[in-house]
Coordinates of all heavy atoms in Angstrom, one line a residue:
M1 N 0.8 -1.2 0.0 CA 0.0 0.0 0.0 C 0.9 1.3 0.1 O 1.9 1.3 0.7 CB -0.9 -0.1 1.3 CG -1.7 1.2 1.3 SD -3.0 1.3 2.7 CE -2.4 0.1 3.9
A2 N 0.5 2.2 -0.8 CA 1.3 3.5 -0.8 C 0.3 4.6 -0.5 O -0.6 4.7 -1.0 CB 1.8 3.7 -2.2
L3 N 0.8 5.4 0.5 CA 0.0 6.6 0.9 C 0.7 7.7 0.4 O 1.9 8.0 0.3 CB 0.0 6.7 2.5 CG -0.4 5.4 3.2 CD1 -0.3 5.6 4.6 CD2 -1.9 5.1 2.9
H4 N -0.1 8.7 -0.1 CA 0.3 10.0 -0.7 C -0.2 11.2 0.0 O -1.4 11.3 0.3 CB -0.1 10.1 -2.2 CG 0.6 9.0 -3.0 ND1 1.7 9.2 -3.6 CD2 0.0 7.8 -3.3 CE1 2.0 8.0 -4.3 NE2 1.0 7.1 -4.1
Y5 N 0.7 12.2 0.3 CA 0.2 13.3 1.2 C 0.6 14.6 0.5 O 1.5 14.6 -0.4 CB 1.0 13.2 2.5 CG 0.5 12.2 3.5 CD1 1.1 10.9 3.3 CD2 -0.3 12.5 4.3 CE1 0.8 9.9 4.1 CE2 -0.8 11.5 5.2 CZ -0.3 10.1 5.1 OH -0.7 9.1 5.9
E6 N 0.1 15.7 0.7 CA 0.3 17.0 0.2 C 0.2 17.9 1.4 O -0.5 17.7 2.4 CB -0.7 17.5 -0.8 CG -0.6 16.7 -2.1 CD -1.6 17.1 -3.3 OE1 -2.3 18.0 -2.9 OE2 -1.5 16.6 -4.4
G7 N 0.9 19.2 1.2 CA 0.8 20.1 2.3 C 2.1 20.4 2.8 O 3.1 19.7 2.7
E8 N 2.2 21.5 3.6 CA 3.3 22.0 4.3 C 3.7 21.1 5.5 O 2.8 20.4 6.0 CB 3.1 23.4 4.9 CG 2.9 24.5 3.8 CD 4.0 24.6 2.9 OE1 5.2 24.7 3.4 OE2 3.8 24.9 1.7
R9 N 4.9 20.9 5.9 CA 5.4 20.2 6.9 C 4.6 20.5 8.1 O 4.4 21.7 8.5 CB 6.9 20.4 7.1 CG 7.4 19.5 8.3 CD 9.0 19.8 8.4 NE 9.4 18.9 9.4 CZ 10.1 17.8 9.1 NH1 10.3 17.6 7.8 NH2 10.6 17.0 10.0
G10 N 4.0 19.5 8.8 CA 3.2 19.6 10.0 C 1.7 19.8 9.6 O 0.9 19.7 10.5
A11 N 1.4 20.1 8.4 CA -0.1 20.2 8.0 C -0.3 19.2 6.8 O -1.4 19.4 6.1 CB -0.2 21.6 7.6
E12 N 0.5 18.2 6.6 CA 0.3 17.3 5.6 C -1.0 16.7 5.7 O -1.5 16.3 6.8 CB 1.4 16.2 5.5 CG 2.8 16.7 5.4 CD 3.4 16.8 6.7 OE1 2.8 16.9 7.7 OE2 4.7 16.8 6.8
R13 N -1.7 16.4 4.6 CA -3.0 15.7 4.6 C -2.9 14.6 3.4 O -2.3 14.7 2.5 CB -4.1 16.6 4.2 CG -4.0 17.3 3.0 CD -5.2 18.3 2.7 NE -4.9 19.1 1.5 CZ -5.4 18.6 0.3 NH1 -6.1 17.4 0.3 NH2 -5.2 19.2 -0.9
M14 N -3.7 13.5 3.8 CA -3.6 12.3 2.9 C -4.5 12.7 1.6 O -5.7 13.2 1.9 CB -4.2 11.1 3.6 CG -4.0 9.8 2.6 SD -4.2 8.3 3.6 CE -5.5 8.6 4.8
V15 N -3.9 12.5 0.5 CA -4.8 12.8 -0.7 C -5.0 11.5 -1.5 O -6.0 11.5 -2.3 CB -4.1 13.8 -1.7 CG1 -4.0 15.1 -1.0 CG2 -2.7 13.3 -2.0
R16 N -4.3 10.4 -1.3 CA -4.4 9.2 -2.1 C -3.8 8.0 -1.4 O -2.8 8.1 -0.9 CB -3.9 9.4 -3.4 CG -4.0 8.3 -4.6 CD -3.6 8.7 -5.9 NE -2.1 8.6 -6.0 CZ -1.3 9.6 -6.3 NH1 -1.8 10.8 -6.4 NH2 -0.1 9.4 -6.3
T17 N -4.5 6.9 -1.7 CA -4.0 5.6 -1.2 C -4.0 4.5 -2.3 O -5.2 4.4 -3.0 CB -4.8 4.9 0.0 OG1 -4.8 5.9 1.1 CG2 -4.2 3.6 0.5
E18 N -2.9 4.0 -2.7 CA -2.9 3.0 -3.7 C -2.6 1.7 -3.2 O -1.7 1.4 -2.4 CB -1.7 3.4 -4.7 CG -1.9 4.7 -5.4 CD -0.7 5.2 -6.3 OE1 0.2 4.5 -6.3 OE2 -0.8 6.2 -6.9
F19 N -3.6 0.6 -3.4 CA -3.4 -0.7 -2.9 C -2.8 -1.6 -3.9 O -2.7 -1.3 -5.2 CB -4.8 -1.2 -2.6 CG -5.5 -0.4 -1.5 CD1 -6.2 0.7 -1.9 CD2 -5.4 -0.8 -0.2 CE1 -6.9 1.5 -0.9 CE2 -6.0 0.0 0.8 CZ -6.7 1.1 0.5
A20 N -2.1 -2.7 -3.5 CA -1.4 -3.6 -4.3 C -2.3 -4.2 -5.4 O -1.7 -4.5 -6.5 CB -0.8 -4.7 -3.4
D21 N -3.6 -4.4 -5.2 CA -4.5 -4.9 -6.2 C -4.9 -3.9 -7.2 O -5.7 -4.3 -8.2 CB -5.6 -5.6 -5.5 CG -6.6 -4.5 -4.9 OD1 -6.3 -3.3 -4.9 OD2 -7.7 -4.9 -4.3
G22 N -4.3 -2.7 -7.3 CA -4.7 -1.7 -8.3 C -5.7 -0.7 -7.8 O -6.1 0.3 -8.5
E23 N -6.5 -1.0 -6.7 CA -7.5 0.0 -6.2 C -6.8 1.3 -5.7 O -5.6 1.2 -5.2 CB -8.3 -0.7 -5.0 CG -9.3 0.3 -4.5 CD -10.0 -0.2 -3.3 OE1 -9.9 -1.5 -3.1 OE2 -10.5 0.6 -2.5
V24 N -7.4 2.4 -6.1 CA -6.9 3.8 -5.6 C -8.1 4.5 -5.0 O -9.2 4.5 -5.5 CB -6.4 4.5 -6.7 CG1 -5.8 5.9 -6.3 CG2 -5.3 3.7 -7.5
Q25 N -7.8 5.0 -3.7 CA -8.7 5.8 -3.1 C -8.3 7.3 -3.0 O -7.1 7.4 -2.7 CB -9.0 5.4 -1.6 CG -9.6 4.1 -1.5 CD -9.8 3.6 -0.1 OE1 -9.2 4.1 0.9 NE2 -10.7 2.7 0.3
Y26 N -9.2 8.2 -3.2 CA -8.8 9.7 -3.2 C -9.5 10.3 -2.0 O -10.7 10.0 -1.8 CB -9.3 10.3 -4.6 CG -8.5 9.8 -5.7 CD1 -9.0 8.6 -6.4 CD2 -7.3 10.4 -6.2 CE1 -8.2 8.1 -7.4 CE2 -6.6 9.8 -7.2 CZ -7.1 8.7 -7.9 OH -6.4 8.2 -8.9
Y27 N -8.8 11.3 -1.5 CA -9.4 12.0 -0.3 C -9.4 13.4 -0.5 O -8.6 13.9 -1.1 CB -8.5 11.6 0.9 CG -8.4 10.1 1.2 CD1 -7.4 9.3 0.6 CD2 -9.1 9.6 2.2 CE1 -7.3 8.0 0.9 CE2 -9.1 8.2 2.5 CZ -8.1 7.4 1.8 OH -8.0 6.1 2.1
E28 N -10.3 14.1 0.3 CA -10.3 15.6 0.3 C -10.5 16.0 1.8 O -11.0 15.1 2.6 CB -11.4 16.1 -0.5 CG -11.2 16.1 -2.0 CD -12.4 16.6 -2.7 OE1 -13.4 17.2 -2.1 OE2 -12.3 16.5 -4.0
G29 N -10.1 17.1 2.2 CA -10.3 17.6 3.5 C -9.0 17.9 4.2 O -7.9 17.6 3.7
E30 N -9.1 18.6 5.3 CA -7.9 19.1 6.0 C -7.3 18.0 6.8 O -8.0 16.9 7.1 CB -8.3 20.2 7.0 CG -8.8 21.4 6.3 CD -7.7 22.0 5.4 OE1 -6.6 22.1 5.8 OE2 -8.1 22.4 4.2
R31 N -6.1 18.1 7.2 CA -5.5 17.0 8.0 C -6.3 16.7 9.2 O -6.8 17.4 9.9 CB -4.1 17.5 8.6 CG -3.3 16.6 9.4 CD -2.1 17.2 9.9 NE -1.4 16.2 10.7 CZ 0.0 16.1 10.9 NH1 0.7 17.2 10.2 NH2 0.6 15.3 11.6
G32 N -6.4 15.3 9.3 CA -7.2 14.7 10.4 C -8.7 14.6 10.1 O -9.5 13.9 10.8
A33 N -9.1 15.3 9.1 CA -10.4 15.3 8.6 C -10.6 14.8 7.1 O -11.6 15.0 6.4 CB -11.2 16.6 8.7
E34 N -9.6 14.0 6.6 CA -9.7 13.6 5.2 C -10.7 12.6 5.0 O -10.9 11.6 6.0 CB -8.3 12.8 4.9 CG -7.1 13.7 5.0 CD -6.3 13.6 6.3 OE1 -7.0 13.3 7.4 OE2 -5.2 13.8 6.3
R35 N -11.5 12.7 4.1 CA -12.6 11.7 3.7 C -12.5 11.2 2.3 O -12.0 11.8 1.5 CB -13.9 12.5 4.0 CG -14.1 13.6 2.9 CD -15.3 14.7 3.3 NE -15.4 15.7 2.4 CZ -14.7 16.7 2.3 NH1 -13.6 17.0 3.1 NH2 -15.0 17.7 1.3
V36 N -12.9 10.1 2.2 CA -13.0 9.3 0.9 C -14.0 10.0 -0.1 O -15.1 10.2 0.4 CB -13.2 7.9 0.9 CG1 -13.3 7.2 -0.4 CG2 -12.2 7.1 1.9
V37 N -13.5 10.5 -1.2 CA -14.4 11.0 -2.2 C -14.5 10.2 -3.5 O -15.5 10.4 -4.2 CB -14.0 12.5 -2.5 CG1 -14.1 13.4 -1.3 CG2 -12.6 12.6 -3.1
R38 N -13.6 9.4 -3.7 CA -13.6 8.5 -4.9 C -12.8 7.3 -4.8 O -11.7 7.3 -4.2 CB -13.1 9.3 -6.1 CG -13.2 8.7 -7.4 CD -12.9 9.6 -8.6 NE -11.5 9.7 -8.8 CZ -10.8 10.7 -8.8 NH1 -11.3 11.9 -8.5 NH2 -9.5 10.7 -9.0
E39 N -13.2 6.1 -5.3 CA -12.4 5.0 -5.4 C -12.4 4.4 -6.8 O -13.6 4.4 -7.4 CB -13.1 3.8 -4.5 CG -12.8 3.8 -3.0 CD -13.4 2.7 -2.3 OE1 -14.6 2.6 -2.2 OE2 -12.6 1.8 -1.9
E40 N -11.2 4.1 -7.3 CA -11.1 3.6 -8.7 C -10.7 2.1 -8.6 O -9.7 1.9 -7.9 CB -10.2 4.5 -9.4 CG -10.7 5.8 -9.7 CD -9.8 6.8 -10.5 OE1 -8.7 6.2 -10.8 OE2 -10.1 7.9 -10.8
F41 N -11.2 1.3 -9.3 CA -11.0 -0.1 -9.3 C -10.3 -0.5 -10.6 O -10.7 -0.1 -11.6 CB -12.2 -1.0 -9.0 CG -12.7 -0.8 -7.6 CD1 -13.7 0.2 -7.5 CD2 -12.3 -1.5 -6.5 CE1 -14.3 0.5 -6.2 CE2 -12.9 -1.2 -5.2 CZ -13.8 -0.2 -5.1
P42 N -9.4 -1.6 -10.6 CA -8.9 -2.1 -11.8 C -9.8 -2.5 -12.9 O -9.6 -2.3 -14.1 CB -8.0 -3.2 -11.4 CG -7.8 -3.1 -10.0 CD -9.0 -2.3 -9.5
S43 N -11.0 -2.9 -12.5 CA -12.1 -3.3 -13.4 C -12.6 -2.1 -14.3 O -13.4 -2.4 -15.2 CB -13.2 -4.0 -12.7 OG -13.8 -3.0 -11.9
G44 N -12.3 -0.9 -13.8 CA -12.8 0.4 -14.5 C -14.0 0.9 -13.8 O -14.4 2.0 -14.2
I45 N -14.4 0.3 -12.7 CA -15.5 0.9 -11.9 C -15.0 2.0 -11.0 O -13.9 1.9 -10.5 CB -16.2 -0.2 -10.9 CG1 -16.9 -1.2 -11.8 CG2 -17.1 0.3 -9.9 CD1 -17.4 -2.4 -11.0
V46 N -15.7 3.1 -11.0 CA -15.4 4.3 -10.1 C -16.6 4.6 -9.2 O -17.7 4.7 -9.7 CB -15.0 5.6 -11.0 CG1 -14.6 6.7 -10.1 CG2 -14.0 5.2 -12.1
Q47 N -16.3 4.5 -7.9 CA -17.4 4.9 -7.0 C -17.1 6.3 -6.3 O -15.9 6.6 -6.0 CB -17.4 3.9 -5.8 CG -17.7 2.6 -6.3 CD -17.6 1.4 -5.1 OE1 -17.0 1.6 -4.1 NE2 -18.2 0.3 -5.4
Y48 N -18.2 7.1 -6.2 CA -18.0 8.4 -5.6 C -18.8 8.5 -4.3 O -19.9 7.8 -4.1 CB -18.7 9.5 -6.6 CG -17.9 9.6 -7.9 CD1 -18.3 8.6 -8.9 CD2 -17.0 10.5 -8.1 CE1 -17.6 8.8 -10.1 CE2 -16.1 10.5 -9.2 CZ -16.6 9.6 -10.3 OH -15.9 9.7 -11.4
Y49 N -18.1 9.3 -3.4 CA -18.7 9.3 -2.0 C -18.9 10.8 -1.5 O -18.2 11.6 -1.9 CB -17.8 8.6 -1.0 CG -17.5 7.2 -1.2 CD1 -16.6 6.8 -2.2 CD2 -18.3 6.3 -0.6 CE1 -16.5 5.4 -2.4 CE2 -18.1 4.9 -0.8 CZ -17.2 4.5 -1.8 OH -17.0 3.2 -2.0
E50 N -19.9 11.0 -0.6 CA -20.1 12.3 0.0 C -20.1 12.0 1.5 O -20.5 10.9 2.0 CB -21.3 12.9 -0.5 CG -21.2 13.4 -1.9 CD -22.5 14.1 -2.5 OE1 -23.5 14.1 -1.7 OE2 -22.5 14.5 -3.6
G51 N -19.9 13.0 2.2 CA -20.1 12.9 3.8 C -18.7 13.2 4.5 O -17.7 13.1 3.9
E52 N -18.9 13.4 5.7 CA -17.7 13.6 6.6 C -16.9 12.3 6.8 O -17.5 11.3 6.7 CB -18.1 14.2 7.9 CG -18.8 15.6 7.8 CD -17.9 16.6 7.0 OE1 -16.8 16.7 7.4 OE2 -18.5 17.3 6.0
K53 N -15.7 12.5 7.3 CA -14.8 11.4 7.6 C -15.6 10.4 8.5 O -16.0 10.8 9.5 CB -13.6 11.9 8.2 CG -12.6 10.8 8.5 CD -11.3 11.4 9.1 CE -10.3 10.1 9.4 NZ -9.1 10.7 9.9
G54 N -15.5 9.1 8.1 CA -16.1 8.1 8.8 C -17.6 7.9 8.6 O -18.2 6.9 9.0
A55 N -18.2 8.8 7.9 CA -19.6 8.7 7.5 C -19.8 8.9 6.0 O -20.9 9.2 5.5 CB -20.5 9.9 8.2
E56 N -18.7 8.6 5.2 CA -18.8 8.6 3.7 C -19.9 7.8 3.3 O -20.0 6.5 3.7 CB -17.6 8.4 3.1 CG -16.4 9.2 3.5 CD -15.5 8.8 4.6 OE1 -16.1 8.1 5.5 OE2 -14.4 9.1 4.6
R57 N -20.7 8.1 2.4 CA -21.7 7.3 1.8 C -21.6 7.3 0.2 O -21.2 8.3 -0.3 CB -23.2 7.7 2.2 CG -23.4 9.2 1.8 CD -24.8 9.6 2.4 NE -25.1 11.0 1.9 CZ -24.6 12.1 2.2 NH1 -23.5 12.1 3.1 NH2 -24.9 13.2 1.6
M58 N -21.9 6.2 -0.4 CA -21.7 6.1 -1.8 C -22.9 6.8 -2.5 O -24.1 6.6 -2.1 CB -21.7 4.6 -2.2 CG -21.4 4.4 -3.7 SD -21.0 2.7 -4.0 CE -22.4 1.8 -3.3
V59 N -22.7 7.7 -3.4 CA -23.6 8.5 -4.1 C -23.8 8.1 -5.6 O -24.7 8.3 -6.2 CB -23.5 9.9 -3.9 CG1 -23.7 10.4 -2.5 CG2 -22.2 10.5 -4.4
R60 N -22.7 7.6 -6.1 CA -22.7 7.2 -7.6 C -21.6 6.2 -8.0 O -20.6 6.2 -7.3 CB -22.4 8.6 -8.4 CG -22.5 8.3 -9.8 CD -22.5 9.7 -10.6 NE -21.0 10.1 -10.9 CZ -20.4 11.2 -10.5 NH1 -21.1 12.0 -9.8 NH2 -19.2 11.4 -10.7
V61 N -22.1 5.3 -8.8 CA -21.1 4.4 -9.3 C -21.1 4.4 -10.8 O -22.2 4.1 -11.4 CB -21.4 2.9 -8.9 CG1 -20.4 1.9 -9.5 CG2 -21.4 2.8 -7.3
E62 N -19.9 4.5 -11.5 CA -19.8 4.5 -12.9 C -19.1 3.2 -13.3 O -17.9 2.9 -12.8 CB -19.0 5.7 -13.4 CG -19.6 7.0 -13.1 CD -18.7 8.3 -13.4 OE1 -17.6 8.1 -13.9 OE2 -19.2 9.4 -13.4
S63 N -19.7 2.5 -14.2 CA -19.1 1.2 -14.7 C -18.4 1.4 -15.9 O -18.6 2.3 -16.6 CB -20.2 0.2 -14.9 OG -21.0 -0.1 -13.7
A64 N -17.5 0.5 -16.1 CA -16.5 0.6 -17.4 C -17.4 0.6 -18.6 O -17.0 1.1 -19.7 CB -15.5 -0.6 -17.3
N65 N -18.7 -0.1 -18.6 CA -19.5 -0.2 -19.7 C -20.3 1.1 -20.0 O -21.0 1.1 -20.9 CB -20.3 -1.4 -19.7 CG -21.4 -1.4 -18.6 OD1 -21.4 -0.3 -17.9 ND2 -22.1 -2.4 -18.4
G66 N -20.1 2.2 -19.2 CA -20.9 3.4 -19.3 C -22.1 3.6 -18.5 O -22.8 4.6 -18.4
N67 N -22.6 2.5 -17.8 CA -23.7 2.6 -17.0 C -23.4 3.4 -15.7 O -22.3 3.3 -15.2 CB -24.2 1.3 -16.6 CG -24.7 0.4 -17.7 OD1 -25.0 0.9 -18.8 ND2 -24.8 -0.9 -17.6
V68 N -24.4 4.2 -15.2 CA -24.2 5.0 -14.0 C -25.3 4.7 -13.1 O -26.5 4.8 -13.4 CB -24.1 6.5 -14.4 CG1 -23.8 7.3 -13.1 CG2 -23.0 6.8 -15.3
H69 N -25.0 4.3 -11.8 CA -26.0 4.1 -10.7 C -25.8 5.2 -9.8 O -24.7 5.5 -9.3 CB -25.7 2.8 -10.1 CG -25.9 1.5 -10.9 ND1 -25.0 1.2 -11.8 CD2 -26.8 0.5 -10.9 CE1 -25.5 0.1 -12.6 NE2 -26.5 -0.4 -11.9
Y70 N -27.1 5.7 -9.3 CA -27.1 6.7 -8.3 C -27.8 6.3 -7.1 O -28.8 5.4 -7.1 CB -28.0 8.0 -8.9 CG -27.2 8.6 -10.1 CD1 -27.5 8.2 -11.4 CD2 -26.4 9.7 -9.9 CE1 -26.9 8.7 -12.5 CE2 -25.8 10.3 -11.0 CZ -26.1 9.8 -12.3 OH -25.5 10.5 -13.3
Y71 N -27.2 6.7 -6.0 CA -27.6 6.1 -4.7 C -28.0 7.2 -3.7 O -27.5 8.4 -3.9 CB -26.4 5.3 -3.9 CG -26.1 4.1 -4.8 CD1 -25.3 4.2 -5.9 CD2 -26.4 2.8 -4.3 CE1 -24.8 3.1 -6.5 CE2 -26.0 1.7 -4.9 CZ -25.2 1.8 -6.1 OH -24.9 0.7 -6.8
E72 N -28.9 6.9 -2.8 CA -29.3 7.8 -1.7 C -29.2 6.9 -0.5 O -29.4 5.7 -0.4 CB -30.7 8.3 -1.9 CG -30.7 9.4 -3.1 CD -32.1 10.0 -3.2 OE1 -33.0 9.7 -2.5 OE2 -32.3 10.9 -4.1
G73 N -29.2 7.6 0.7 CA -29.3 6.9 1.9 C -27.9 7.1 2.7 O -26.9 7.4 2.2
E74 N -28.0 6.8 4.1 CA -26.9 6.9 4.9 C -25.8 5.8 4.7 O -26.3 4.7 4.1 CB -27.3 7.0 6.3 CG -28.2 8.1 6.7 CD -27.4 9.4 6.4 OE1 -26.3 9.6 6.8 OE2 -28.0 10.3 5.8
Q75 N -24.7 6.0 5.2 CA -23.5 4.9 5.1 C -24.0 3.6 5.5 O -24.7 3.5 6.5 CB -22.3 5.4 5.9 CG -21.1 4.5 5.7 CD -20.1 4.8 6.7 OE1 -20.3 4.9 7.9 NE2 -18.9 5.1 6.1
G76 N -23.9 2.6 4.6 CA -24.3 1.3 5.0 C -25.8 1.0 4.6 O -26.1 -0.3 4.5
A77 N -26.5 1.9 4.3 CA -27.9 1.8 3.9 C -28.2 2.5 2.6 O -29.3 2.8 2.2 CB -28.8 2.3 5.0
E78 N -27.2 2.6 1.9 CA -27.3 3.3 0.4 C -28.2 2.4 -0.4 O -28.1 1.2 -0.3 CB -26.0 3.5 -0.2 CG -25.0 4.3 0.4 CD -24.0 3.5 1.3 OE1 -24.3 2.5 1.8 OE2 -22.9 4.1 1.5
R79 N -29.1 2.9 -1.3 CA -29.9 2.3 -2.1 C -29.9 2.9 -3.5 O -29.8 4.1 -3.6 CB -31.3 2.1 -1.5 CG -32.0 3.5 -1.5 CD -33.3 3.4 -0.6 NE -34.0 4.6 -0.7 CZ -33.6 5.8 0.1 NH1 -32.6 5.7 0.8 NH2 -34.3 6.8 0.0
V80 N -30.1 2.1 -4.5 CA -30.1 2.6 -5.9 C -31.5 3.4 -6.1 O -32.4 2.8 -5.7 CB -30.0 1.5 -6.9 CG1 -30.2 2.0 -8.3 CG2 -28.7 0.8 -6.8
V81 N -31.4 4.6 -6.6 CA -32.6 5.3 -6.9 C -32.8 5.6 -8.4 O -33.9 6.0 -8.9 CB -32.6 6.7 -6.1 CG1 -32.7 6.5 -4.6 CG2 -31.4 7.6 -6.5
R82 N -31.6 5.5 -9.1 CA -31.8 5.8 -10.5 C -30.6 5.1 -11.2 O -29.4 5.1 -10.7 CB -31.7 7.3 -10.8 CG -31.8 7.6 -12.3 CD -32.0 9.2 -12.5 NE -31.1 10.1 -11.8 CZ -30.3 10.8 -12.5 NH1 -30.3 11.0 -13.7 NH2 -29.4 11.5 -11.8
V83 N -30.7 4.5 -12.4 CA -29.7 4.0 -13.2 C -29.8 4.6 -14.6 O -30.9 4.6 -15.1 CB -29.9 2.4 -13.3 CG1 -28.8 1.8 -14.3 CG2 -29.8 1.8 -11.9
V84 N -28.7 5.0 -15.1 CA -28.7 5.6 -16.5 C -27.7 4.7 -17.2 O -26.5 4.5 -17.0 CB -28.1 7.0 -16.6 CG1 -28.0 7.4 -18.0 CG2 -29.0 8.0 -15.8
L85 N -28.2 3.9 -18.2 CA -27.5 2.9 -19.1 C -26.7 3.6 -20.1 O -27.1 4.7 -20.5 CB -28.4 1.9 -19.7 CG -29.2 1.0 -18.6 CD1 -30.2 0.0 -19.4 CD2 -28.4 0.4 -17.6
A86 N -25.7 3.0 -20.7 CA -24.9 3.6 -21.6 C -25.7 4.0 -22.8 O -25.3 4.8 -23.6 CB -23.8 2.6 -22.0
D87 N -26.8 3.2 -23.2 CA -27.6 3.5 -24.3 C -28.5 4.6 -24.1 O -29.3 4.9 -25.0 CB -28.2 2.3 -24.8 CG -29.4 1.7 -23.9 OD1 -29.6 2.4 -22.8 OD2 -29.9 0.6 -24.1
G88 N -28.6 5.2 -22.9 CA -29.5 6.5 -22.6 C -30.7 6.0 -21.9 O -31.4 6.9 -21.4
A89 N -31.0 4.7 -21.7 CA -32.2 4.4 -21.0 C -32.0 4.6 -19.5 O -30.9 4.6 -19.1 CB -32.4 2.8 -21.2
V90 N -33.1 5.1 -19.0 CA -33.1 5.4 -17.5 C -34.1 4.6 -16.8 O -35.3 4.5 -17.1 CB -33.4 6.9 -17.4 CG1 -33.5 7.4 -15.9 CG2 -32.4 7.8 -18.2
G91 N -33.6 4.1 -15.6 CA -34.7 3.3 -14.7 C -34.6 4.1 -13.3 O -33.6 4.6 -12.9
H92 N -35.7 4.2 -12.8 CA -35.9 4.8 -11.5 C -36.4 3.7 -10.4 O -37.3 2.8 -10.8 CB -37.0 5.9 -11.5 CG -36.5 7.1 -12.4 ND1 -35.8 8.1 -11.9 CD2 -36.8 7.4 -13.7 CE1 -35.6 9.0 -12.9 NE2 -36.1 8.4 -14.0
Y93 N -35.9 3.8 -9.2 CA -36.2 2.8 -8.2 C -36.8 3.5 -6.9 O -36.2 4.6 -6.6 CB -34.9 2.1 -7.8 CG -34.5 1.3 -9.1 CD1 -33.5 1.9 -10.0 CD2 -34.8 -0.1 -9.4 CE1 -33.2 1.3 -11.1 CE2 -34.4 -0.7 -10.5 CZ -33.5 0.0 -11.3 OH -33.1 -0.6 -12.5
E94 N -37.6 2.7 -6.2 CA -38.1 3.2 -4.9 C -38.0 2.2 -3.9 O -37.8 1.0 -4.3 CB -39.6 3.7 -5.1 CG -39.8 4.9 -6.0 CD -41.3 5.3 -6.0 OE1 -42.1 4.7 -5.3 OE2 -41.6 6.2 -6.8
G95 N -38.1 2.4 -2.7 CA -38.0 1.5 -1.6 C -36.6 1.6 -0.9 O -35.7 2.1 -1.3
E96 N -36.6 0.8 0.2 CA -35.5 0.7 1.1 C -34.4 -0.2 0.5 O -34.9 -1.2 -0.3 CB -35.9 0.4 2.5 CG -36.6 1.4 3.1 CD -36.0 2.8 3.1 OE1 -34.7 2.8 3.6 OE2 -36.7 3.7 2.8
Q97 N -33.2 -0.3 0.9 CA -32.2 -1.2 0.5 C -32.7 -2.7 0.8 O -33.1 -2.9 1.9 CB -30.9 -0.9 1.2 CG -29.8 -1.9 0.9 CD -28.6 -1.6 1.8 OE1 -28.7 -1.4 2.9 NE2 -27.4 -1.6 1.2
G98 N -32.5 -3.6 -0.3 CA -32.8 -4.9 -0.1 C -34.3 -5.2 -0.2 O -34.6 -6.5 -0.1
A99 N -35.2 -4.2 -0.3 CA -36.5 -4.6 -0.4 C -37.1 -5.0 -1.7 O -36.4 -4.8 -2.7 CB -37.3 -3.3 0.1

């Protein structure tokens, strides 16, 4: 695993983590409050997150094939609310996760 930091000495903040399997996580925020905002996987999938450190929730997943899934809900209870397929078709979903 490789950790990447930016900033002045004493105020460095983590901006990226690279894992041996090719996964890369990107962070934003001040030192000590860095939060995950994006994860990229070797398969081409990219996941986007919002929320404060420790409460990041997935809001969007882009697949390598061009499909995009949109999510709502708190961390651990995210649910798909809309899917936009690469061909332009759009699906809308209602209900709780797993229902």
